[in-house]
Structures are given as C-alpha cells and as structure tokens.
Amino acid sequence: MRPVQKFNIGHVLSDGQLVTANYNPYGKANPILQENLGSYCSYCEVFSSDLEVEHVISKNQDRNLETSWSNFLISCGRCNGRDNKTNKHVDFSRLYMPHLNNSLLPYEYKEGGVIAINSDLNDTQKEKAQNTFNLLGLDKYPGNPNYPPTSKYPQGFPPGDKRWEHRRKAWDIAVCKRTDYENNIIFARNIAEFATQRGFFSVWFTVFNAHIEVKQQLIIAFNGTAINCFNDDNEQIERNPINTVDKI
Ligand SMILES: [Zn+2]
C-alpha cells in the first residue's frame, strides 16, 4: 500500500479554504481527500472516479469519529464493502495503515497480481501485516490457500472482486513500460504521468525498483505520497524511527 500524508488541519486548499477538523456531513470531505491523496483507493490503490470517504475507525466502532478529518481516508466500494473492511474492528497497534505507517514495507508486490508479506519482517510484524490483509482482503487472488474454493465461490472469494486482476494488468503494463524506458523510448516523467491514470503506485514502484529516477517521479506524481517514507535514493525507509515497538 502506498504510504500517504494527510493534510494537516489548517492546510490551505487550492480554492483558498482551510482543512477543518470536522466535515458534516462527511461526504463534504470527499473532494478534499482527492485533492490531498489523488483519486486512488487508499488501500487497493486503484484509480477511480467513484471513491468514497472511508472511515478508518468505522461509524459502528466509534460514532464520535464520523465527521472527523483525522479519521478519513478514501476508498473504493470493494475495499470498504461487505466482504472486506466494512465495520470490522480497527486497532492501529495491530495493523499497518497507509497514513500512519510506511505501508509499502510490510508487503511484496509480484507478478500476476499477487501481494505477499515481506519475508524480512519479524514475527510480530508479519502478524500485523496478516491482520491488515484480513481487514482489507487485499490478498484475495486465485490460488491463495487462505481463500480456498467453495461451492458458492470457486475462486475462494466473490467473482466481482477484481482487485487482483487490476493489479496484474498494472504489473504487465509496467513491465512493458520498463522495457521502453530502458531502451530510451520513454522517459521517467512519461511513465509517472501514465501510471497516475491507472493507479497502483506500489506495483509501479516495485517494477521500477532499479530505476531511482522513475521512482522519484512516481513519488512526486502521485498526490499525497508520504515523502518521509523514502530516503535520498528513493528507497523505502521506516516511518516511525523513534517508535520502540515497531518502526514501520
Ligand atoms: Zn480499494
């Protein structure tokens, strides 16, 4: 998941308005979230014109946070849908979240739309990465043993959940673009511009792992990417270096 940096309360928006602590009704925050974070689902990273204000702590869990800017991300209907996050309990100490952690670090993006847990994590971190999968269902791809086939769902999850397939296509396109880039047919900026119209920052960032210049352009081009999650060589770094429990 792309790590993101939310606007602070008081941030001056493009129309001159300030970001406020509360939005009532919360839907008013939608365009502000998209100015801040781009038109990407905060979880699956798809580029979409149909994103919803996402209550990180659900309204069921804490009604007091229903209008709170600090509790908002933006998500697609699938990530926040009935079969995924919806009203599940959220405990930040047991999860990785894109606005609090370097949410790229716990995961490895791979060919075929696959996301796996980074094998370099310690056991506690692996558990948090798995909890985050369980919350969002981002690891729903055909063949994942965590989602065995059932009579209702032969691929192990509802057929409408195409997040893995969108990720797979983004991967395949990124690989083609990488060849063009290495043959000097296109430039880093072109790749970033193209990628912003598809989403899946994490996929692009992974495919272009060896190309610092492209990674730099991706970080710049995707609105709201948390720049403190990358070092001068555009490598992923821990976001919470003074946290003694978990620096990710
Ligand atoms: Zn999503």
Side-chain angles (χ1 to χ4, degrees):
M1 270 183 291
R2 178 176 72 117
V4 297
Q5 183 70 52
K6 296 268 304 287
F7 286 153
N8 292 323
I9 293 162
H11 175 92
V12 182
L13 296 162
S14 58
D15 63 1
Q17 303 278 315
L18 304 183
V19 173
T20 60
N22 288 281
Y23 288 88
N24 193 2
Y26 60 79
K28 284 184 179 171
N30 192 323
I32 299 163
L33 286 161
Q34 294 199 48
E35 179 176 336
N36 185 173
L37 307 175
S39 299
Y40 313 103
C41 175
S42 298
Y43 302 129
C44 74
E45 306 184 48
V46 69
F47 175 73
S48 172
S49 59
D50 190 23
L51 297 168
E52 304 163 356
V53 174
E54 148 67 1
H55 293 88
V56 180
I57 306 280
S58 75
K59 299 187 285 290
N60 272 26
Q61 188 176 335
D62 189 347
R63 180 64 68 180
N64 294 324
L65 295 175
E66 182 175 349
T67 62
S68 173
W69 169 256
S70 65
N71 188 41
F72 296 155
L73 286 173
I74 193 149
S75 86
C76 74
R78 182 60 62 176
C79 285
N80 197 25
R82 226 174 28 250
D83 47 328
N84 291 308
K85 182 170 179 291
T86 187
N87 293 325
K88 284 183 194 152
H89 188 85
V90 165
D91 173 355
F92 293 139
S93 70
R94 304 190 68 243
L95 296 163
Y96 290 119
M97 298 302 289
H99 61 315
L100 301 176
N101 305 105
N102 185 347
S103 47
L104 261 182
L105 278 174
Y107 301 107
E108 293 172 355
Y109 288 75
K110 301 182 180 186
E111 193 176 0
V114 172
I115 307 182
I117 294 173
N118 181 346
S119 53
D120 292 337
L121 301 184
N122 66 37
D123 286 350
T124 310
Q125 291 171 326
K126 282 179 182 162
E127 192 180 322
K128 288 167 75 171
Q130 184 60 51
N131 291 341
T132 310
F133 270 160
N134 296 345
L135 179 73
L136 301 168
L138 287 177
D139 58 344
K140 287 178 179 170
Y141 53 82
N144 184 340
N146 289 338
Y147 301 98
T150 63
S151 53
K152 190 177 179 193
Y153 298 134
Q155 70 175 0
F157 51 86
D161 192 340
K162 298 284 188 195
R163 293 175 295 174
W164 68 275
E165 196 170 353
H166 294 306
R167 220 164 37 230
R168 179 178 63 79
K169 285 180 180 161
W171 180 282
D172 292 346
I173 293 167
V175 168
C176 287
K177 296 285 179 190
R178 186 177 61 193
T179 304
D180 289 349
Y181 175 73
E182 289 170 349
N183 290 317
N184 295 313
I185 295 168
I186 52 172
F187 302 103
R189 192 168 45 80
N190 307 127
I191 293 163
E193 282 169 357
F194 186 82
T196 58
Q197 295 304 306
R198 296 200 67 91
F200 303 106
F201 171 91
S202 301
V203 168
W204 291 88
F205 202 81
T206 302
V207 169
F208 283 91
N209 184 44
H211 298 292
I212 291 176
E213 188 194 6
V214 178
K215 292 201 287 187
Q216 175 70 26
Q217 291 294 328
L218 290 167
I219 291 167
I220 294 167
F222 279 77
N223 286 9
T225 303
I227 55 173
N228 61 341
C229 289
F230 305 90
N231 65 16
D232 291 344
D233 292 325
N234 301 313
E235 294 162 340
Q236 304 150 44
I237 55 170
E238 291 159 336
R239 188 172 191 167
N240 302 290
I242 57 170
N243 187 318
T244 51
V245 178
D246 187 349
K247 299 183 194 306
I248 288 179

